[in-house]
Amino acid sequence: SGAVGADGLTKAQAKLLKEKPAPEADFEIALSKDGSYVTVTKYKGKSKTLVIPSTIQGVPVKKVEGGLLLTNYAAQESLTSVVIPEGVVGIGGRIFIDCSALTTVVLPSTLKGIGANAFTGCEKLTTVNLPEGLVYITEDAFFRTGLTSVTLPKSLKAIGACAFFSNDHLAEINIPDGLSLALVETNDIDFIGNDYVASDEGYRGYTRVRDFSLFFDGEKIKESVALQQLLKNHKTVEIRRSTWKDKYVGKPSSTWDW
């Protein structure tokens, strides 16, 4: 069912949370420099339902790399459901790109950032929970999906261009009052430790205010004056290179005060 419960999850998402995690042997991992957490780098299993463990070998999982399914073509074609566990703060770019059978994803409340093209081409993915606490969605993250509704969290600070483009079934967009997002290129955000921090390396100097039409596009939107007005009434934050560098470089995303 597409109905959302009090916990913000659909029945299909809630049901997934009862599934057992995949065996630890199905994953390749990398230990962090300080030894406090692991990053899941590859999934070698074949299950249609992927529940990533919250710990592997007793160590918390905090990141999942974009190369998770690299060379695992069977999983790319057959994967229908995914649970990213609580404790994970970042998922990499292209992590589930072109997973044509993927219909259901559960994201954790601890998630801070979603990488570029993370769900591009997941045309059967109709719903996604974007948790409060999420800070950054990279460009093209949900390009060409089957999403019918999107609710942006109040915690969101920055978003990349075309994040929800070519979503032809997207008929409902919920934007919190007063939400103002910075437009940032992928190269301007580096994932370091547990926080996204800004980097001016590769910065292309966006210096003018844009509206949210830069992030959302699809046939339903083109047919709806109300949706178009909604997007035009919300603006991005104007950022100049000097203020970006002075205020945000090297600072945890939780301290950004746009």
Side-chain angles (χ1 to χ4, degrees):
S1 170
V4 176
D7 56 2
L9 301 179
T10 65
K11 289 183 179 179
Q13 288 174 313
K15 185 178 179 180
L16 266 182
L17 294 178
K18 299 177 182 179
E19 297 283 339
K20 291 183 178 180
E24 293 184 5
D26 283 353
F27 300 94
E28 292 182 3
I29 59 174
L31 186 64
S32 63
K33 290 182 179 180
D34 64 4
S36 66
Y37 68 89
V38 294
T39 296
V40 172
T41 60
K42 190 173 183 180
Y43 172 62
K44 300 177 290 185
K46 298 179 180 179
S47 175
K48 291 184 178 182
T49 297
L50 171 56
V51 179
I52 298 175
S54 58
T55 63
I56 294 180
Q57 298 181 37
V59 182
V61 174
K62 284 200 171 181
K63 291 190 275 185
V64 185
E65 282 193 356
L68 181 71
L69 301 180
L70 192 65
T71 72
N72 189 345
Y73 303 115
Q76 283 181 320
E77 293 178 358
S78 64
L79 198 62
T80 62
S81 306
V82 172
V83 175
I84 306 293
E86 289 295 313
V88 168
V89 294
I91 57 177
R94 301 173 66 87
I95 187 169
F96 298 113
I97 190 170
D98 292 332
C99 285
S100 57
L102 187 62
T103 62
T104 311
V105 174
V106 181
L107 300 177
S109 64
T110 50
L111 192 65
K112 298 296 184 185
I114 299 173
N117 297 103
F119 296 95
T120 289
C122 296
E123 296 185 7
K124 291 186 178 179
L125 181 64
T126 58
T127 59
V128 65
N129 61 306
L130 300 176
E132 281 298 333
L134 184 67
V135 174
Y136 187 70
I137 300 174
T138 318
E139 71 256 20
D140 300 317
F142 294 93
F143 187 90
R144 205 175 73 251
T145 72
L147 291 177
T148 59
S149 174
V150 167
T151 298
L152 298 180
K154 296 178 182 178
S155 57
L156 200 62
K157 297 291 187 183
I159 190 169
C162 307
F164 296 92
F165 260 43
S166 293
N167 280 251
D168 289 338
H169 303 286
L170 188 57
E172 180 182 6
I173 302 171
N174 299 303
I175 303 173
D177 291 341
L179 185 67
S180 185
L181 302 179
L183 170 64
V184 186
E185 289 286 311
T186 304
N187 291 338
D188 302 327
I189 297 289
D190 294 328
F191 190 74
I192 301 176
N194 297 337
D195 284 294
Y196 277 92
V197 298
S199 164
D200 70 343
E201 182 179 357
Y203 185 59
R204 298 184 182 180
Y206 285 107
T207 57
R208 61 194 180 98
V209 176
R210 302 285 295 271
D211 64 51
F212 279 25
S213 299
L214 188 64
F215 312 130
F216 293 89
D217 167 74
E219 291 303 315
K220 295 287 186 182
I221 294 173
K222 292 175 182 177
E223 295 169 359
S224 171
V225 171
L227 282 177
Q228 292 175 45
Q229 289 178 331
L230 173 70
L231 297 176
K232 288 184 180 298
N233 288 337
H234 286 80
K235 307 296 182 182
T236 60
V237 178
E238 182 173 5
I239 295 180
R240 299 187 183 278
R241 183 167 185 148
S242 59
T243 58
W244 171 260
K245 182 176 181 180
D246 294 344
K247 294 180 69 175
Y248 304 121
V249 169
K251 295 184 178 181
S253 56
S254 59
T255 67
W256 295 353
D257 58 350
W258 291 325

